[in-house]
Amino acid sequence: MDDLRQRFAALTTAHLADACIRAGLPVRCAPAPTRAVVPGSRLFGPAVPARHVGSVDVFLEAFEDAPEGGVLVVDNGGRLDESCVGDLVVLEARAAGLSGVVVWGLHRDTADIRAIGLPVFSLGSLPTGPLSLGPRVDGGLAEAIVGTWRIGPADLVLGDDDGVLFVPLARAGELFALAEGIRDTERRQADRIRGGEPLRQQVRFGEFLAARETDPSLTFRAHLRAGGGAIEE
């Protein structure tokens, strides 16, 4: 895990999302509004799920057996009428050895969270805390729903300025290797553009247009794959 953590420092969630496509896996992103409280924050760690029903005790229970470096993934149903995570939860997460928090909902105590320094990603902030207390959810510490995705301890949480991505821990090594290859190809392409060789020339775009005239079913991705290009994947 430490090796992957170090390798992620030289990658982005975009590289890993492309790697998921290359590997034939679903690209499981938190919905687009999910953003870091502090721009530039980065997340890495196994998911520690918790389904919020109005009380902080579910988070405290999740911390009891949380792995070192885990990321608390809070499912508050994407609610925008209340916040469910504040500074005390974030402080406790840091004290428990977690590396960050993702909230499918809202946070509050923004200034204090910024001062704590633990990466927190959410849909935004609102002054009010939980507005009601519901019954405990069976399996509430086994999985969290984020958008349309079910996230559990078998998932790795990755976050940066592009958003949050969830990948299966069992496939992480493979995905990181693919992402590094994509990154390196894109860097070479960028260097060549800066050196005066347009991307259209690099990917033989004229040849693609001519081939498409003959075969209208030809896609740009198929053309890129044939030539070893990485963009769009």
Side-chain angles (χ1 to χ4, degrees):
M1 187 70 72
D2 286 341
D3 173 63
L4 291 179
R5 187 185 301 274
Q6 292 173 6
R7 289 163 68 184
F8 182 55
L11 291 167
T12 67
T13 54
H15 294 137
L16 284 150
D18 287 352
C20 288
I21 296 173
R22 188 74 61 85
L25 293 173
V27 182
R28 297 182 297 157
C29 296
T34 310
R35 285 289 179 267
V37 174
V38 178
S41 297
R42 291 176 65 85
L43 278 176
F44 176 97
V48 179
R51 299 184 68 177
H52 181 259
V53 293
S55 175
V56 71
D57 66 293
V58 69
F59 305 140
L60 303 182
E61 188 173 355
F63 297 153
E64 286 286 287
D65 298 312
E68 183 76 20
V71 175
L72 180 67
V73 180
V74 177
D75 173 4
N76 200 34
R79 289 182 63 164
L80 300 178
D81 62 336
E82 65 172 31
S83 62
C84 61
V85 168
D87 62 327
L88 293 182
V89 170
V90 176
L91 269 173
E92 187 69 9
R94 187 178 69 177
L98 273 69
S99 61
V101 179
V102 175
V103 187
W104 176 228
L106 303 176
H107 73 276
R108 66 176 177 176
D109 304 324
T110 300
D112 290 322
I113 288 174
R114 286 174 177 159
I116 292 166
L118 193 74
V120 176
F121 286 63
S122 81
L123 295 176
S125 61
L126 198 70
T128 186
L131 299 173
S132 61
L133 178 62
R136 180 183 175 86
V137 178
D138 289 340
L141 295 176
E143 70 173 13
I145 298 173
V146 179
T148 60
W149 305 110
R150 295 181 179 273
I151 308 302
D155 292 309
L156 180 63
V157 186
L158 304 159
D160 60 16
D161 281 333
D162 282 328
V164 176
L165 177 70
F166 306 101
V167 302
L169 271 168
R171 302 284 297 273
E174 171 193 354
L175 292 172
F176 270 61
L178 287 170
E180 287 162 345
I182 291 168
R183 174 203 62 198
D184 293 345
T185 298
E186 290 184 346
R187 284 181 176 173
R188 288 193 295 270
Q189 289 172 326
D191 287 342
R192 289 163 69 183
I193 293 172
R194 295 186 186 100
E197 183 182 359
L199 184 61
R200 287 164 295 160
Q201 181 178 333
Q202 294 180 42
V203 300
R204 308 187 322 278
F205 194 65
E207 292 180 23
F208 165 68
L209 293 177
R212 195 178 62 186
E213 287 292 323
T214 303
D215 179 9
S217 68
L218 179 67
T219 66
F220 189 47
R221 284 188 176 180
H223 171 75
L224 287 173
R225 286 172 182 156
I231 63 173
E232 292 196 354
E233 292 190 298

